[in-house]
């Protein structure tokens, strides 16, 4: 069929590699306003995914509910920022998937200078301390101005913002996981900073824990206890904030932070709950229309489906811990983030990432401090009950209750 006879919005192109062979990494292009966009995901491709691979089969299942609503189909499209095509080709495999990656969702806006500096700090920290790539999905129309040469392991994708459907912008976190075609992923926010290469272990551990038999994303323990059962013990102080909702099940775990790790086995879970939220429908008795944020939905969905695994905390607040706790081996405090029903001694911590740091200068200072410590002995990254440990296995052996609560 001649090109002129093809559907004007969608056509197939072939990218010839240097040896002259067609590459399947970049085979789909969407024509928008006369400009070809190299697609990563869309409903047609997801629904026609190769079911001979487990990840293709899981992607097809994830897409079934989301793509069934005509209004939602356009939100299932993601494409490569043209400046990052080279990084994309080096990072993604011939099947169009990436094996392991950190994944960030954000919205580039013309005047969001501090926010973009924080995102830049996150990318910089990944390039300093991780061996894995990072995929950013921009749900805004403005240029992000990141440099593919400065950040050779960064892939920048573009997608449409689901907040236009009347939900929180943060539900784009689900979209980023569903549209980035990452087989094993860890979701990061822009206000985070990586502090140690040991965080890369999350990928291996996710492969081991999130399987066909246990296909649920895993969240790290939150600093807040939100279990209604502990409301009777609340005296107005401390790290307690009750969570209740229409149709909420009994919590199966402590409240988790919205930094999910997943494998391709998790994609149907993410797809069905995202579809329910975008349709404001009930799922297994839960009224998703009344669940306001991504973190809320992740926790309630995991409880509803009987999930039982969570990571120990690997994302303490701020970035000052690199000098105040990590390298000084100074306790963050007795019974840190303790609750009355599960973590009575406090939450075990892995000082992998800082989280919720809103001041770019503090991130820059923390990165400078870590650079100055490169010649020093590797610090003990794990902490629990007033003691630091070199390995999590050492911590778990010394405190046999911990593996029944959280793992790393």
């Amino acid at each position: 069929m001649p090109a002129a006879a093809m559907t004007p919005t969608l056509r197939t192109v072939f990218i010839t590699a240097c040896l002259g062979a067609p590459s399947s990494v970049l085979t789909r292009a969407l024509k928008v306003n006369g400009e070809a966009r190299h697609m990563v995901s869309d409903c047609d491709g997801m629904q026609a995914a190769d079911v001979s691979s487990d990840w293709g089969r899981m992607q097809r299942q994830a897409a079934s509910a989301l793509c069934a609503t005509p209004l939602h189909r356009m939100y299932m499209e993601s494409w490569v920022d043209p400046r990052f095509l080279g990084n994309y080709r080096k990072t993604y495999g011939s099947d169009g998937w990436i094996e392991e990656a950190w994944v960030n969702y954000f919205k580039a806006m013309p005047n969001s200078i501090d926010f973009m500096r924080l995102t830049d700090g996150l990318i910089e920290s990944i390039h300093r301390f991780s061996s894995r790539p990072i995929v950013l999905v921009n749900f805004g129309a403005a240029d992000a101005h990141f440099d593919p040469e400065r950040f050779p392991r960064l892939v920048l994708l573009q997608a449409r913002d689901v907040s236009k459907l009347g939900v929180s912008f943060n539900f784009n976190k689900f979209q980023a996981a569903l549209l980035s075609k990452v087989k094993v992923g860890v979701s990061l926010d822009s206000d985070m900073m990586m502090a140690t290469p040991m965080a890369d272990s999350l990928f291996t551990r996710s492969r081991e824990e999130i399987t066909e038999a246990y296909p649920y994303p895993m969240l790290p323990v939150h600093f807040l206890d939100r279990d209604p059962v502990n409301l009777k013990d609340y005296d107005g102080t401390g790290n307690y904030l009750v969570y209740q909702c229409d149709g909420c099940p009994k919590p199966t775990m402590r409240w988790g932070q919205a930094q999910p790790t997943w494998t391709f086995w998790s994609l149907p879970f993410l797809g069905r709950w995202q579809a329910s939220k975008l349709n404001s429908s009930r799922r297994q008795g839960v009224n998703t229309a009344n669940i306001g944020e991504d973190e809320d939905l992740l926790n309630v969905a995991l409880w509803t489906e009987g999930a039982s695994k969570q990571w120990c905390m690997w994302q303490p607040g701020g970035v000052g811990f690199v000098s105040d706790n990590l390298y000084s081996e100074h306790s963050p405090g007795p019974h840190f983030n303790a609750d009355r029903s599960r973590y009575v001694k406090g939450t075990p911590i892995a000082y992998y990432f800082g989280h919720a740091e809103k001041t770019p200068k503090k991130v820059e200072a923390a990165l400078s401090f870590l650079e100055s410590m490169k010649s020093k002995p590797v610090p003990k990254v794990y902490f629990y009950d007033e003691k630091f440990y070199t390995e999590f296995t050492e911590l778990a052996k010394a405190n046999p209750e911990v593996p029944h609560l959280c793992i790393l």
Side-chain angles (χ1 to χ4, degrees):
M1 180 186 297
M6 293 184 184
T7 303
T9 57
L10 184 64
R11 62 186 61 187
T12 301
V13 297
F14 295 94
I15 307 299
T16 304
C18 58
L19 296 178
S23 168
S24 61
V25 177
L26 290 171
T27 57
R28 297 180 60 81
L30 182 70
K31 200 77 171 179
V32 180
N33 297 328
E35 178 184 352
R37 292 178 176 175
H38 295 287
M39 302 304 293
V40 175
S41 294
D42 60 27
C43 279
D44 289 340
M46 295 171 82
Q47 291 178 309
D50 182 4
V51 295
S52 65
S53 69
D54 290 328
W55 43 94
R57 183 162 51 89
M58 293 301 102
Q59 186 184 50
R60 184 181 288 197
Q61 289 183 24
S64 60
L66 286 160
C67 295
T69 303
L71 178 63
H72 297 165
R73 292 180 69 89
M74 65 185 291
Y75 294 96
M76 299 306 293
E77 296 173 352
S78 65
W79 57 94
V80 186
D81 182 297
R83 294 175 300 119
F84 284 81
L85 282 172
N87 287 6
Y88 174 78
R89 290 169 179 153
K90 291 184 294 184
T91 305
Y92 278 70
S94 60
D95 60 356
W97 288 74
I98 188 169
E99 288 294 326
E100 299 175 347
W102 310 99
V103 179
N104 167 264
Y105 75 107
F106 75 109
K107 185 174 185 176
M109 294 183 291
N111 297 317
S112 56
I113 297 173
D114 280 356
F115 178 79
M116 297 308 294
R117 284 176 63 191
L118 289 171
T119 308
D120 187 278
L122 169 66
I123 304 167
E124 174 66 31
S125 71
I126 295 295
H127 277 71
R128 288 193 190 188
F129 300 114
S130 178
S131 63
R132 272 50 167 208
I134 179 168
V135 177
L136 266 65
V137 186
N138 181 10
F139 291 93
D143 190 346
H145 298 294
F146 296 122
D147 184 352
E149 294 186 3
R150 177 187 170 202
F151 297 127
R153 285 184 285 113
L154 169 63
V155 177
L156 182 59
L157 306 183
Q158 193 80 27
R160 295 182 178 90
D161 177 5
V162 295
S163 69
K164 294 179 180 179
L165 296 172
V167 301
S168 166
F169 175 81
N170 292 321
F171 284 99
N172 287 306
K173 181 172 288 184
F174 282 69
Q175 294 297 104
L178 290 163
L179 302 182
S180 56
K181 297 182 80 169
V182 173
K183 294 178 186 177
V184 183
V186 181
S187 181
L188 303 177
D189 294 339
S190 289
D191 59 2
M192 297 180 72
M193 183 200 77
M194 191 174 185
T196 171
M198 296 181 74
D200 276 354
S201 64
L202 287 169
F203 293 102
T204 301
R205 295 293 291 118
S206 293
R207 284 187 185 273
E208 293 170 347
E209 298 293 341
I210 306 172
T211 63
E212 184 174 14
Y214 187 91
Y216 305 112
M218 292 177 61
L219 310 181
V221 174
H222 202 286
F223 71 90
L224 285 173
D225 170 24
R226 308 199 69 180
D227 195 328
V229 76
N230 293 332
L231 180 59
K232 64 184 184 301
D233 300 314
Y234 181 51
D235 62 2
T237 63
N239 61 315
Y240 184 78
L241 180 66
V242 68
Y243 185 84
Q244 297 170 317
C245 71
D246 181 9
C248 261
K250 181 180 179 180
T252 58
M253 303 171 285
R254 173 148 153 173
W255 191 266
Q257 191 110 28
Q259 261 63 66
T261 78
W262 72 90
T263 69
F264 54 83
W265 295 112
S266 312
L267 296 178
F269 171 92
L270 294 169
R272 61 180 172 265
W273 284 96
Q274 180 78 327
S276 294
K277 177 58 188 174
L278 297 183
N279 289 315
S280 297
S281 60
R282 285 187 178 268
R283 174 164 291 277
Q284 295 178 243
V286 176
N287 183 5
T288 65
N290 291 343
I291 295 182
E293 287 293 342
D294 60 316
E295 184 170 284
D296 304 355
L297 186 62
L298 281 166
N299 279 277
V300 172
L302 288 168
W303 300 343
T304 300
E305 300 209 13
S308 58
K309 295 182 182 181
Q310 66 181 167
W311 301 122
C312 298
M313 176 179 283
W314 50 260
Q315 73 307 342
V319 295
F321 70 85
V322 295
S323 57
D324 296 344
N325 308 109
L326 180 59
Y327 275 87
S328 64
E329 289 194 21
H330 186 268
S331 167
H335 304 111
F336 189 64
N337 299 328
D339 62 50
R340 297 294 184 91
S341 57
R342 293 183 177 88
Y343 293 86
V344 294
K345 293 183 180 179
T347 56
I349 304 170
Y351 286 106
Y352 290 169
F353 280 86
H355 181 243
E357 180 54 73
K358 308 301 183 184
T359 307
K361 286 187 177 180
K362 290 185 179 180
V363 174
E364 293 162 7
L367 288 172
S368 294
F369 173 81
L370 290 171
E371 182 69 20
S372 72
M373 302 302 288
K374 285 175 64 175
S375 62
K376 304 294 184 181
V378 176
K380 295 180 178 180
V381 170
Y382 304 96
F383 172 85
Y384 179 63
D385 195 22
E386 298 301 295
K387 186 176 180 181
F388 281 82
Y389 298 87
T390 302
E391 301 287 345
F392 181 74
T393 52
E394 178 189 6
L395 182 156
K397 184 177 180 180
N399 303 275
E401 74 277 10
V402 168
H404 299 287
L405 298 170
C406 65
I407 56 177
L408 276 171

